[in-house]
Amino acid sequence: MSNAPFDMIISGGRVIDPALGFGKDAHVLIKDGRIAGIENDIQKLGDSTGATVIDASGMLVVPGLIDVHVHLREPGREDEETVESGCRAAAAGGFTAVCCMPNTTPRIDNQETVLFVQDRAKNADARVYVVGAITKGSEGKELSEIGDLVKVGAVAITDDGRWVENSEIMRRAMEYSKMFNIPVMDHAEESTLCAGGIMNESFESTRLGLRGRPAVAEEIAVMRDIALCRTTGARLHIQHLSTRRAVDVVRAAKAEGIRVTTEACPHHFVLTDEAIAKEFNTCLRVNPPLRTANDREAIIEGLIDGTIDCIASDHAPHAEEEKDCEFDLAPAGMIGLETTLGLVKTYLIDKGYLTWADAIAKMTINPARVFGLPGGTLKTGSPADITIIDPDAPWTVDKKRFRSMSHNSPFIGWKLQGQVFRTILGGRVVFAREE
Amino acid sequence: MSKLASRHLLGLEGVSADDISLILDTTHTFREVLDRPIKKLPTLRGLTVLNLFYEPSTRTRISFELAEKRLSADTVSFTTATSSVKKGESLRDTVQNIEAMKIDMIVVRHSSAGTPYYLTQCSDANVINAGDGSHEHPTQALLDMYTIRKKYGKLAGLRVVLVGDVKHSRVIRSNIWGLKALGASVALCGPSTLLPAEVERYGCDIYTSLDEALDGADVVNIMRLQLERQQAGLFPSQREYTNLFGITRERLKRLNKNYTIMHPGPMNRGVEISSEVADGDSSVILDQVTNGQAVRMAVLYLLSGPEAEGPQA
Ligand SMILES: [Zn+2]
Ligand SMILES: [Zn+2]
């Protein structure tokens, strides 16, 4: 190990890499933008002249976090988010990679748009993996040129925002996707049951007189798509799981050996539909909607037993003026890149539901495996994408500190634990906490 | 003067029995004023009330406007048939523009639930909900409650049946909270497709059989049937609705003696209520309208702040 002029040494932190089953104090060495090794003994480091040393004592050093469900709004709504600003927000939230959804204007249903987004992401603060549309314009009628999309780097397909209502088309999408071994991501909400729905259907929608989106709509969609997955042998990734029954259906499918993976969003394991009645906060309008306490518990159970593989933010930026209106006129979605880690720490780890290693796995190696992405581990030779977390540092979610261009978060003012200390992308520090 | 806990009336959910009783007691004073030859009081002199009606409602608007005028308020009305303000100027901009002309109180009717609450975030004025989507219509419920209390001298212990489209009725929602707060027993009756999710959590008796619901009831409050619900497939036909849920004289036999028939109007005669029942001796439908004005006077007065003078002045 002598004559090893490392670029960077992250020293003294507790290194957690679920992919390697690693979890102890160690030093992480970086060279040429890649992980050069993890060393227990500082004496063995050899010559570290010229290396940048980051003192991570008391911190957690983990693989760069990956968020597989992010809306970057470019092209089309650059007033809400751009690839650049979204990646800045990602870095601030500890994410070194994001998968961006295709419901932009125009939709990402062709090669040119994939290439455009990739070009925008070239010098960004996070890696951007593009997800293409299942159908042209996400209209649910004709398949996109999926082969073309994959050829230029699309890592998955989804019509996120909409369910592919036509079963025959969904079946074809699954069959076709097998040629490229990519997952079909599924926004699972049976549309006729949800038509005109504003929030979860429950006593909360009853007391507010708002039209509901029933939990059974998710259950039906998940059941159909798992049935198609069973038939086709494709890979299905169900997005933003939100109901108890849907979790049950996935659990059974996994037990049967069906190739289905899932994600859950922080707002679905932190909030319930009861929050809406308090102040009609339009930031609480999301799809799928905030559910009941019973559903919220089921999501946590699914995270604990592995039915839910990934934690994803469904970061959905909206302009201030679009959310500043009557509740039922507001667009659905909330931002999440910068609050996910704090919510995971405060509401999953501190409550004793998940260990750090379990939670980190759901934001690193699991997403990397599902979507075939590089990274997600600190294995020697991997890209030096690293997140350093100050695990017990308290902070208050502050609108002024968001790097996202949009501020539609219901968590503004919340006190959370667990701060990002540094985010490192390919050996470059892309976020450093302001001291 | 006694004061209400809130400076707005956004709904009856969460409003205490004391506050509701204060409104009903104050209503009584104003109700007497309406029987005087000169029905005008200086109570709200110098205050300006904005009537913001984003959804057409001639009756409620006239009732509020008259209540305001009888209390000597200056009034300005903004009426638009378009329920959605999605295109064009936002609701916040509209309200802030009008408020810049110095408005003290806002009476709002809107097709979106929660709009009155939202207005409290946009404006410093006292806000009165005159109906927001399918959420609440508190002054209608208060006038219903006042009408019942005037007849029986109390609400506690009475059995009140609310019949119709429970799912979409803001009048029913406000009635449930108000009646329960004052100790009435509340029953809801309607087709099961028009009973909303987890309706039993209101703690009311729920019926899909009208005859069973009417058994031993004192008051029947009959809601207007919105015919567009049939187009939405929520019930098969108006004819079948009338057969199952229309209130006719034969059906009234099951009620307690000295029963009362109510309807917030406008009525579909021969659909949810037969003319015989609507015009019968036990109908208080027109009293409701008169009492509505007194209730609105009381609410405007109680929310208008300490400057206002009471009705005795
Ligand atoms: Zn979605
Ligand atoms: Zn999404």
Side-chain angles (χ1 to χ4, degrees):
Chain A
M1 287 290 262
S2 58
N3 285 338
F6 304 113
D7 303 337
M8 187 184 282
I9 299 169
I10 301 165
S11 77
R14 182 174 182 77
V15 179
I16 299 176
D17 183 356
L20 297 175
F22 194 92
K24 56 186 175 201
D25 286 359
H27 314 286
V28 179
L29 316 176
I30 298 166
K31 197 180 169 193
D32 296 331
R34 297 196 166 265
I35 306 286
I38 303 176
E39 196 61 70
N40 296 319
D41 186 353
I42 194 94
Q43 303 304 327
K44 290 190 187 158
L45 281 183
D47 180 16
S48 53
T49 318
T52 308
V53 178
I54 295 178
D55 178 8
S57 337
M59 308 280 176
L60 305 179
V61 180
V62 306
L65 307 181
I66 301 171
D67 188 339
V68 297
H69 191 154
V70 165
H71 296 269
L72 292 177
R73 302 292 185 226
E74 191 176 2
R77 285 306 300 266
E78 292 83 355
D79 61 317
E80 295 183 328
E81 198 79 281
T82 61
V83 173
E84 196 193 335
S85 71
C87 289
R88 264 204 309 274
F95 292 95
T96 54
V98 299
C99 295
C100 66
M101 296 299 115
N103 61 336
T104 50
T105 320
R107 292 253 163 188
I108 306 178
D109 60 0
N110 58 74
Q111 278 195 341
E112 287 66 36
T113 323
V114 177
L115 292 168
F116 170 82
V117 173
Q118 288 171 338
D119 186 60
R120 287 291 193 213
K122 246 190 262 164
N123 300 310
D125 290 346
R127 298 179 203 277
V128 174
Y129 299 105
V130 180
V131 176
I134 298 173
T135 61
K136 288 178 187 151
S138 291
E139 283 175 358
K141 295 188 182 122
E142 291 170 75
L143 294 185
S144 319
E145 293 176 321
I146 297 165
D148 252 23
L149 294 169
V150 172
K151 198 166 167 191
V152 292
V155 296
I157 47 172
T158 181
D159 277 354
D160 186 35
R162 295 179 191 163
W163 190 54
V164 179
E165 212 170 319
N166 184 312
S167 305
E168 170 63 8
I169 288 173
M170 189 60 163
R171 177 196 170 151
R172 279 191 228 133
M174 285 196 197
E175 283 175 340
Y176 201 75
S177 71
K178 286 201 305 178
M179 293 195 291
F180 315 105
N181 194 28
I182 53 162
V184 178
M185 297 175 86
D186 191 15
H187 176 108
E189 277 192 305
E190 202 284 330
S191 0
T192 62
L193 286 167
C194 290
I198 310 295
M199 62 179 294
N200 183 45
E201 182 181 294
S202 69
F203 184 62
E204 295 306 308
S205 61
T206 290
R207 84 207 283 197
L208 297 180
L210 286 171
R211 183 133 177 206
R213 300 171 91 89
V216 70
E218 180 166 314
E219 188 187 352
I220 288 173
V222 168
M223 283 172 71
R224 183 202 73 175
D225 291 333
I226 282 177
L228 290 174
C229 186
R230 179 192 288 121
T231 303
T232 58
R235 289 169 55 202
L236 177 67
H237 177 82
I238 296 168
Q239 302 177 276
H240 41 50
L241 212 56
S242 72
T243 74
R244 175 170 288 279
R245 290 290 177 77
V247 174
D248 288 346
V249 171
V250 171
R251 187 176 288 122
K254 284 191 161 188
E256 197 190 317
I258 293 171
R259 297 214 292 171
V260 58
T261 55
T262 59
E263 67 190 34
C265 305
H267 45 269
H268 289 128
F269 57 73
V270 173
L271 297 166
T272 69
D273 58 359
E274 286 176 35
I276 294 167
K278 294 200 182 86
E279 47 182 338
F280 287 95
N281 180 352
T282 54
C283 290
L284 298 170
R285 184 161 179 205
V286 280
N287 275 355
L290 301 178
R291 305 286 188 184
T292 65
N294 181 28
D295 294 309
R296 179 177 163 272
E297 280 161 30
I299 298 301
I300 293 169
E301 288 161 22
L303 285 161
I304 293 170
D305 73 7
T307 305
I308 297 167
D309 305 87
C310 305
I311 294 171
S313 69
D314 197 359
H315 178 80
H318 285 294
E320 189 117 15
E321 62 273 16
E322 284 192 16
K323 280 282 195 181
D324 184 12
C325 62
E326 300 87 324
F327 190 83
D328 61 355
L329 300 181
M334 64 171 80
I335 57 168
L337 280 167
E338 291 167 86
T339 48
T340 292
L341 184 66
L343 292 167
V344 166
K345 167 63 164 62
T346 311
Y347 288 91
L348 295 177
I349 296 171
D350 286 351
K351 305 267 183 207
Y353 299 130
L354 294 185
T355 63
W356 267 112
D358 293 337
I360 295 300
K362 291 180 198 297
M363 295 192 284
T364 57
I365 190 63
N366 295 3
R369 281 184 186 142
V370 173
F371 293 89
L373 311 178
T377 172
L378 301 173
K379 196 172 157 216
T380 303
S382 306
D385 295 356
I386 301 167
T387 303
I388 307 176
I389 300 164
D390 191 348
D392 298 312
W395 60 292
T396 303
V397 182
D398 181 356
K399 178 175 171 172
K400 287 198 279 306
R401 297 186 81 153
F402 280 141
R403 292 175 187 223
S404 169
M405 284 171 65
S406 292
H407 301 142
N408 51 307
S409 168
F411 300 113
I412 290 167
W414 284 40
K415 291 189 184 359
L416 302 177
Q417 296 265 314
Q419 269 187 35
V420 180
F421 176 69
R422 294 284 186 280
T423 307
I424 297 162
L425 177 71
R428 174 171 68 98
V429 176
V430 287
F431 174 80
R433 181 174 74 185
E434 292 159 31
E435 296 297 335
Chain B
M1 133 187 153
S2 307
K3 284 194 72 178
L4 296 172
S6 168
R7 53 184 290 262
H8 308 291
L9 181 67
L10 307 180
L12 291 189
E13 183 182 357
V15 178
S16 69
D18 283 352
D19 275 3
I20 293 175
S21 299
L22 174 60
I23 296 171
L24 298 185
D25 293 345
T26 311
T27 299
H28 201 64
T29 331
F30 285 110
R31 181 65 188 78
E32 283 169 357
V33 172
L34 291 177
D35 292 331
R36 293 183 195 169
I38 293 171
K39 298 166 186 64
K40 190 142 176 149
L41 296 166
T43 311
L44 298 187
R45 197 158 50 196
L47 296 183
T48 308
V49 184
L50 165 64
N51 297 301
L52 196 60
F53 277 65
Y54 273 98
E55 198 184 60
S57 165
T58 313
R59 288 162 183 247
T60 304
R61 187 171 52 80
I62 290 176
S63 180
F64 266 108
E65 283 181 6
L66 269 175
E68 291 151 12
K69 288 188 163 66
R70 295 201 195 287
L71 296 177
S72 306
D74 295 318
T75 67
V76 51
S77 291
F78 180 99
T79 309
T80 165
T82 41
S83 57
S84 165
V85 289
K86 209 164 193 174
K87 291 199 177 70
E89 193 176 51
S90 75
L91 181 56
R92 180 185 288 272
D93 285 339
T94 304
V95 170
Q96 285 178 344
N97 251 289
I98 299 174
E99 203 185 13
M101 304 175 210
K102 303 300 173 195
I103 299 291
D104 301 291
M105 306 180 87
I106 299 175
V107 174
V108 60
R109 159 70 62 102
H110 199 288
S111 60
S112 294
T115 298
Y117 177 86
Y118 175 66
L119 286 183
T120 67
Q121 314 289 299
C122 308
S123 157
D124 292 326
N126 308 86
V127 176
I128 299 172
N129 182 0
D132 61 330
S134 303
H135 180 216
E136 285 225 41
H137 191 357
T139 57
Q140 177 67 44
L142 288 164
L143 77 86
D144 291 345
M145 293 167 71
Y146 176 78
T147 306
I148 300 169
R149 202 182 76 161
K150 196 157 183 268
K151 175 163 172 182
Y152 297 96
K154 59 167 188 178
L155 285 157
L158 293 176
R159 182 171 160 81
V160 181
V161 186
L162 300 156
V163 183
D165 180 354
V166 181
K167 191 171 190 149
H168 301 94
S169 173
R170 52 192 168 210
V171 176
I172 286 182
R173 277 175 182 73
S174 289
N175 260 286
I176 292 171
W177 297 121
L179 288 166
K180 284 176 63 78
L182 290 200
S185 123
V186 182
L188 307 174
C189 179
S192 42
T193 44
L194 294 176
L195 294 173
E198 301 185 68
V199 65
E200 66 285 352
R201 284 182 56 189
Y202 277 119
C204 303
D205 299 325
I206 313 291
Y207 296 92
T208 51
S209 153
L210 183 58
D211 286 335
E212 283 173 28
L214 296 181
D215 235 357
D218 300 291
V219 178
V220 191
N221 198 347
I222 304 149
M223 300 298 138
R224 175 184 171 82
L225 181 68
Q226 304 286 333
L227 296 172
E228 63 265 26
R229 307 291 175 215
Q230 185 192 330
Q231 272 104 62
L234 289 165
F235 57 90
S237 70
Q238 185 185 305
R239 180 176 163 275
E240 180 154 310
Y241 183 89
T242 302
N243 287 340
L244 292 172
F245 298 98
I247 309 277
T248 56
R249 212 174 61 173
E250 301 82 82
R251 288 202 140 121
L252 301 178
K253 288 198 288 277
R254 293 172 166 265
L255 295 168
N256 286 345
K257 263 195 242 97
N258 196 27
Y259 65 82
T260 303
I261 300 295
M262 306 179 79
H263 193 300
M267 289 182 281
N268 296 305
R269 282 175 183 262
V271 180
E272 70 268 4
I273 186 168
S274 73
S275 274
E276 228 181 352
V277 174
D279 303 330
D281 291 341
S282 299
S283 163
V284 293
I285 293 169
L286 290 174
D287 298 331
Q288 285 174 269
V289 179
T290 314
N291 296 339
Q293 220 181 102
V295 159
R296 286 166 183 133
M297 289 166 81
V299 169
L300 287 159
Y301 162 68
L302 288 170
L303 295 180
S304 63
E307 310 93 83
E309 299 165 44
Q312 284 81 9

